[in-house]
Amino acid sequence: MLHDIIALRKTIEQDIEALGSLPTREELERFRLKHLVRKGTLAELTERLRSVPKEEKPTVGKELNALKSFAETEFKRLSAIHASHTTPTATLDLTLPGRPWLYAPKHPIRQTLDDMLAIFQRMGFAIAEGPEIEDDKHNFEDLNFPPDHPARDMQDTFFVEVTTPDGIKRHDVLLRTHTSPVQIRLMKAQAPPIRAVIPGRVYRNEAISARSLAEFHQIEGLYIDNDVSFSELKGTLVSFAQQFYGPMLGGAALQYRFRPSFFPFTEPSAEMDITCFLCTGKGCRICKYSGWLEILGCGMVHPNVLRAGGIDPEEYSGFAWGMGIERVTLLRTGIDDIRLLYENDVRVLEQFV
Ligand code: DAH
């Protein structure tokens, strides 16, 4: 019996050797059927163990067990090598159910933008966009900010270092501080009437906190035609406020007011306040107990700006406005830290489907 075990070991060793370093599935299966199954060589020897004299059994049994575990270990090792070298397509199981796609809701900022833009689109405004990297001319000069005018300090600017292909360093390239430069680009690109809303990202060099970031979003609006009046500005913006903010007041009437203000690119200029929709005007921490929330800046387009855009101020007039998106997004979602809007943490985003 011991001889047979030794002989079988020799066979198994030779068979393993023949399998080589990368056996095929068929070769592995042949090995398994020959040695490892119930009617295989090892099982056959195990069967014969019964007839071995009692005193030899421990030695023979030990030898046989060692051979069995040798054969099994080698088989497993070679099967693993086979599996790791098999191309995925060969094992692709087409009957597996597909992985579910995660439903991707709109980001809260996108939701606010889309809700606002939809209202203006219904009023006949087109959507336009412009570049985030601008030059001083579009961002300031053409918008009637004279050089060294203190109004430039209202918007702390990130400048961009640019060297032109012919080696000249430009010092007038910047990240736009507002969406207003797109007004100029639109005026240059098309003749009046112009009726557009311009959503986009803007940048200011500000300290980052729960309330402010160095980047945020605005929607700019521009309307230019013959005889556009301040009452049309009011009509447009009041209608917008009623549609967008009205439903947030829970049945209370929306009040509004226009306060005189200053922007270099509009004359006259105003800021628009509406009833605080958190306290419906009763006074709260958010509206600083005034009952009013400021929602936008606006005014009649300054003649110098029309001229910079190539439009004759004797023939045309217009109004413009600009408003921030982040603050209202925080207020309508109840998110209390603006940084959460930019971290894209799924645990936050999935709450606003
Ligand atoms: N660009 C201004 C800002 O970022 C907002 C603004 C005010 C835009 C009045 C306008 C406007 O078009 O008429 O603070």
Side-chain angles (χ1 to χ4, degrees):
M1 177 79 179
L2 262 181
H3 285 295
D4 293 340
I5 295 175
I6 289 163
L8 180 56
R9 178 176 277 274
K10 218 175 188 132
T11 314
I12 288 180
E13 279 171 359
Q14 277 168 1
D15 287 352
I16 287 170
E17 178 112 23
L19 285 177
S21 55
L22 185 54
T24 66
R25 195 157 42 168
E26 291 72 27
E27 289 168 339
L28 282 165
E29 186 60 3
R30 229 177 292 134
F31 179 88
R32 192 180 72 86
L33 292 174
K34 180 170 172 190
H35 300 297
L36 300 175
V37 294
R38 208 146 48 89
K39 293 223 163 104
T41 55
L42 285 160
E44 197 191 311
L45 278 190
T46 311
E47 190 68 23
R48 281 172 48 197
L49 197 59
R50 279 197 225 158
S51 51
V52 169
K54 220 177 169 187
E55 56 282 6
E56 285 177 30
K57 255 189 193 161
T59 335
V60 177
K62 207 173 149 198
E63 212 45 46
L64 186 59
N65 279 337
L67 179 58
K68 253 195 215 167
S69 80
F70 167 73
E72 279 164 6
T73 316
E74 282 298 286
F75 178 73
K76 274 193 202 140
R77 182 179 68 80
L78 290 165
S79 300
I81 290 174
H82 168 82
S84 71
H85 280 76
T86 317
T87 57
T89 42
T91 56
L92 184 65
D93 181 356
L94 294 173
T95 65
L96 275 177
R99 284 193 200 139
W101 283 85
L102 278 182
Y103 172 60
K106 281 186 204 168
H107 188 280
I109 291 177
R110 186 77 247 171
Q111 286 183 25
T112 305
L113 282 172
D114 285 354
D115 292 348
M116 289 183 166
L117 293 173
I119 293 171
F120 289 111
Q121 278 186 296
R122 282 199 296 273
M123 290 192 225
F125 285 82
I127 296 176
E129 286 185 41
E132 292 177 17
I133 297 178
E134 264 296 6
D135 52 26
D136 183 273
K137 187 162 160 51
H138 287 87
N139 197 81
F140 291 123
E141 200 183 314
D142 286 353
L143 290 167
N144 202 33
F145 287 81
D148 303 321
H149 192 281
R152 291 187 182 218
D153 295 343
M154 284 159 63
Q155 305 180 354
D156 284 324
T157 311
F158 284 117
F159 287 89
V160 183
E161 264 181 40
V162 175
T163 310
T164 62
D166 30 337
I168 299 164
K169 277 205 159 68
R170 283 184 62 173
H171 299 286
D172 62 333
V173 182
L174 44 82
L175 298 182
R176 67 178 178 193
T177 58
H178 51 176
T179 41
S180 304
V182 190
Q183 288 191 27
I184 302 291
R185 293 184 176 277
L186 283 181
M187 290 182 215
K188 286 187 172 158
Q190 68 180 92
I194 299 172
R195 212 184 283 127
V197 276
I198 305 141
R201 204 181 273 236
V202 303
Y203 302 85
R204 289 187 201 174
N205 191 357
E206 271 168 32
I208 290 168
S209 72
R211 237 166 288 162
S212 75
L213 290 175
E215 62 186 288
F216 53 98
H217 293 76
Q218 292 185 330
I219 291 181
E220 187 86 10
L222 180 67
Y223 187 7
I224 297 175
D225 205 345
N226 303 113
D227 305 319
V228 174
S229 66
F230 197 89
S231 58
E232 282 169 280
L233 174 157
K234 282 178 73 178
T236 304
L237 296 179
V238 168
S239 170
F240 159 73
Q242 278 163 346
Q243 293 179 64
F244 186 83
Y245 291 100
M248 292 155 79
L249 282 165
L254 179 111
Q255 312 267 5
Y256 63 85
R257 66 182 187 189
F258 287 85
R259 273 179 297 105
S261 183
F262 171 79
F263 302 102
F265 34 91
T266 42
E267 181 59 37
S269 306
E271 280 168 314
M272 183 180 180
D273 298 340
I274 55 158
T275 317
C276 174
F277 54 82
L278 293 165
C279 61
T280 58
K282 290 182 204 71
C284 67
R285 201 171 50 82
I286 300 297
C287 63
K288 302 205 179 85
Y289 303 97
S290 70
W292 295 100
L293 279 183
E294 182 202 319
I295 57 164
L296 55 84
C298 59
M300 301 306 291
V301 181
H302 196 289
N304 288 349
V305 174
L306 290 171
R307 254 179 242 119
I311 289 174
D312 182 0
E314 300 297 327
E315 198 178 339
Y316 294 104
S317 56
F319 66 81
W321 75 93
M323 50 197 184
I325 305 304
E326 269 72 0
R327 193 163 96 108
V328 48
T329 303
L330 294 183
L331 295 178
R332 79 204 285 237
T333 54
I335 298 175
D336 60 3
D337 188 323
I338 192 168
R339 290 168 291 199
L340 290 171
L341 289 178
Y342 282 77
E343 284 166 0
N344 287 333
D345 186 327
V346 179
R347 292 167 300 178
V348 173
L349 297 182
E350 68 188 2
Q351 295 175 50
F352 304 99
V353 178

